[in-house]
């Protein structure tokens, strides 16, 4: 749409395509949330209820990329100031983490002391999801929030609601 407006009306519209986002106000619904908020909710509930284990689907081997919502906001402001082009730009962290590493990190941040159990009878899904954000990085933008710091921020928000 931005390309069409740019061409038809000479309007300086740009488009940024974000990777998997997370942060405060995410969707933590038990049935329709994405992997990161789903893990956070499950570990939180297990901790509060005193469960001994949390079961996670798959092997933990798929790789994913995540970006904190505040970094997305920063990237959008950066792009409005520094970019004027026809093609969209991918907005990602450029860093991959396995679902296993993510689950261990969420477990740590939440403070769940039980066991992490992998249900390998469940599907892993797509093996790898990493965007090429090199064009944005070449313009000079970098994410500022590490995955761990972003998880801490998100969990503080979740623990308050």
């Amino acid at each position: 749409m931005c390309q069409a407006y740019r061409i038809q009306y000479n309007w300086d519209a740009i488009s940024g395509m974000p990777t998997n986002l997370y942060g405060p106000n995410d969707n933590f619904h038990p049935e329709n949330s994405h992997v990161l908020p789903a893990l956070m909710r499950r570990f939180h509930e297990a901790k509060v209820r005193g469960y001994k284990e949390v079961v996670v689907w798959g092997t933990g081997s798929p790789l994913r990329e995540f970006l904190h919502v505040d970094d997305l906001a920063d990237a959008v402001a950066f792009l409005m100031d520094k970019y004027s082009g026809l093609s969209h730009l991918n907005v990602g962290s450029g860093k991959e983490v396995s679902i296993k590493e993510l689950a261990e990190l969420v477990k740590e941040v939440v403070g769940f002391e039980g066991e992490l159990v992998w249900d390998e009878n469940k599907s892993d899904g797509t093996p790898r999801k990493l965007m090429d954000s090199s064009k944005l990085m070449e313009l000079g933008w970098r994410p500022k929030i590490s995955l761990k710091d972003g998880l801490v921020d998100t969990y503080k928000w979740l623990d308050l609601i």
Side-chain angles (χ1 to χ4, degrees):
M1 181 182 241
C2 288
Q3 291 173 339
Y5 269 80
R6 178 179 283 274
I7 292 166
Q8 187 170 354
Y9 300 109
N10 198 29
W11 186 50
D12 191 18
I14 59 171
S15 176
M17 174 63 69
T19 189
N20 298 305
L21 299 172
Y22 72 98
N25 294 300
D26 206 334
N27 173 18
F28 292 89
H29 192 276
E31 295 173 20
N32 61 22
S33 59
H34 290 237
V35 65
L36 197 154
L39 285 171
M40 189 167 282
R41 180 183 177 128
R42 291 170 72 195
F43 280 113
H44 175 74
E45 288 179 350
K47 178 180 122 178
V48 170
R49 295 177 181 166
Y51 294 165
K52 303 246 187 265
E53 66 181 33
V54 169
V55 177
V56 181
W57 289 7
T59 65
S61 64
L63 300 171
R64 296 293 182 267
E65 174 184 25
F66 297 96
L67 187 71
H68 191 278
V69 292
D70 290 349
D71 274 334
L72 175 63
D74 182 63
V76 168
F78 177 89
L79 284 171
M80 288 189 297
D81 188 44
K82 304 280 187 196
Y83 180 70
S84 176
L86 187 59
S87 65
H88 80 276
L89 290 182
N90 291 332
V91 181
S93 65
K95 296 179 181 172
E96 291 178 301
V97 61
S98 72
I99 297 300
K100 181 176 175 139
E101 293 167 321
L102 178 66
E104 292 287 352
L105 192 54
V106 171
K107 177 184 172 187
E108 176 189 333
V109 166
V110 169
F112 176 69
E113 296 181 1
E115 292 295 315
L116 178 56
V117 177
W118 295 94
D119 182 354
E120 295 184 11
N121 293 317
K122 303 289 186 190
S123 172
D124 271 335
T126 305
R128 186 175 189 211
K129 291 184 182 177
L130 175 68
M131 298 180 87
D132 179 2
S133 299
S134 60
K135 289 180 183 177
L136 176 59
M137 303 288 179
E138 287 168 8
L139 291 172
W141 183 84
R142 299 283 184 280
K144 296 175 179 71
I145 302 170
S146 71
L147 181 58
K148 184 170 185 179
D149 289 346
L151 291 175
V152 168
D153 173 64
T154 304
Y155 186 61
K156 283 180 185 174
W157 177 86
L158 176 63
D159 201 30
L160 293 174
I161 60 170

